[in-house]
Amino acid sequence: MDSRDVALQSVMSTVMVPHFSELVELDTPGNRILMASNGIWLEVCRAWFYARVPIAKPLSMATPYGLVSEALRFGFGKLPSAMVAQFIEQARVRSPNECAAWVVWNQQTGEWKLMMLEETSVGPGHVSVNLPTLGEDEYMVMDLHSHGLLDAFFSSTDNDDDRGATKIAGVIGNLNKPEVTALFRLCANGVFLPLPFDSPKGQEGSI
Ligand SMILES: [Zn+2]
């Protein structure tokens, strides 16, 4: 096989889910496609996160594949609502302009930090930023941005930005009002899953 195909397929291999034994989960950072009797699934593993999500219906023919179930687990206890609250404060100050931040988790210490992102261009309808470099044990878990005076929603620009990323994306809107609007989604290598921010504890069997 062409060495470029070897490289491409090693980044996202396809696995036949066994029928008579348990699937051995991916336990190093990467992505796999799982061929199962109950559909085609995406498996995503990161230092802070593990998920299996269905991406296509089962094949309409008999296959030798076994079953898999949905999974969503985080490597930390709770999502950092204090970091989101800090971001909302910053976003209020900068409103009506937009702004953006990363919420970074340190795997060694378990600590969180909010990093406001350096803007290269900003206005009430857009923000462009420089992306920071993280330390060895640091992982960007949440990618937050504000919509100034507008509602919280994921725009086509947001969808383009999040394509292929693995992170929790959050948008905060209506920053001039006492009650802001907020929307969160899990981006798992291009698959978007709505995430109620109050209840994203990792759980097996359902998402
Ligand atoms: Zn947006």
Side-chain angles (χ1 to χ4, degrees):
M1 192 158 61
D2 189 303
S3 60
R4 289 168 296 182
D5 284 317
V6 174
L8 271 176
Q9 293 183 13
S10 70
V11 175
M12 187 179 288
S13 59
T14 301
V15 173
M16 292 188 275
V17 174
H19 188 89
F20 293 106
S21 50
E22 284 285 305
L23 173 75
V24 178
E25 289 186 352
L26 187 60
D27 61 0
T28 52
N31 312 300
R32 299 193 303 187
I33 292 169
L34 307 178
M35 300 297 292
S37 60
N38 57 339
I40 302 172
W41 297 64
L42 174 68
E43 183 185 39
V44 180
C45 181
R46 296 290 184 274
W48 57 275
F49 169 70
Y50 175 87
R52 281 191 308 269
V53 291
I55 51 172
K57 290 185 175 139
L59 299 178
S60 57
M61 54 177 273
T63 65
Y65 312 141
L67 290 165
V68 292
S69 58
E70 288 183 330
L72 175 59
R73 297 194 296 266
F74 294 109
F76 40 80
K78 263 175 56 183
L79 281 170
S81 51
M83 296 293 107
V84 177
Q86 272 185 32
F87 175 71
I88 292 171
E89 275 177 35
Q90 296 277 336
R92 278 194 198 280
V93 172
R94 294 167 195 230
S95 176
N97 283 353
E98 296 194 359
C99 62
W102 279 4
V103 177
V104 173
W105 178 62
N106 186 307
Q107 190 180 21
Q108 278 297 324
T109 64
E111 285 173 4
W112 293 93
K113 71 176 173 187
L114 181 74
M115 300 176 77
M116 295 303 295
L117 303 188
E118 184 194 356
E119 290 146 3
T120 54
S121 167
V122 68
H126 80 286
V127 60
S128 304
V129 293
N130 284 325
L131 301 183
T133 307
L134 296 180
E136 204 179 318
D137 299 316
E138 292 182 327
Y139 297 94
M140 185 269 278
V141 171
M142 300 184 80
D143 187 2
L144 303 175
H145 74 283
S146 76
H147 274 185
L149 308 181
L150 303 176
D151 285 345
F153 66 96
F154 289 108
S155 67
S156 55
T157 308
D158 297 336
N159 290 344
D160 287 343
D161 289 347
D162 294 349
R163 189 156 293 136
T166 294
K167 63 185 180 184
I168 294 167
V171 55
I172 313 288
N174 303 112
L175 287 144
N176 55 329
K177 297 191 178 160
E179 287 276 306
V180 298
T181 50
L183 213 53
F184 296 89
R185 69 181 175 190
L186 181 66
C187 310
N189 201 54
V191 177
F192 300 148
L193 302 167
L195 201 62
F197 187 68
D198 293 342
S199 59
K201 317 172 235 356
Q203 50 186 277
E204 281 288 348
S206 68
I207 290 176

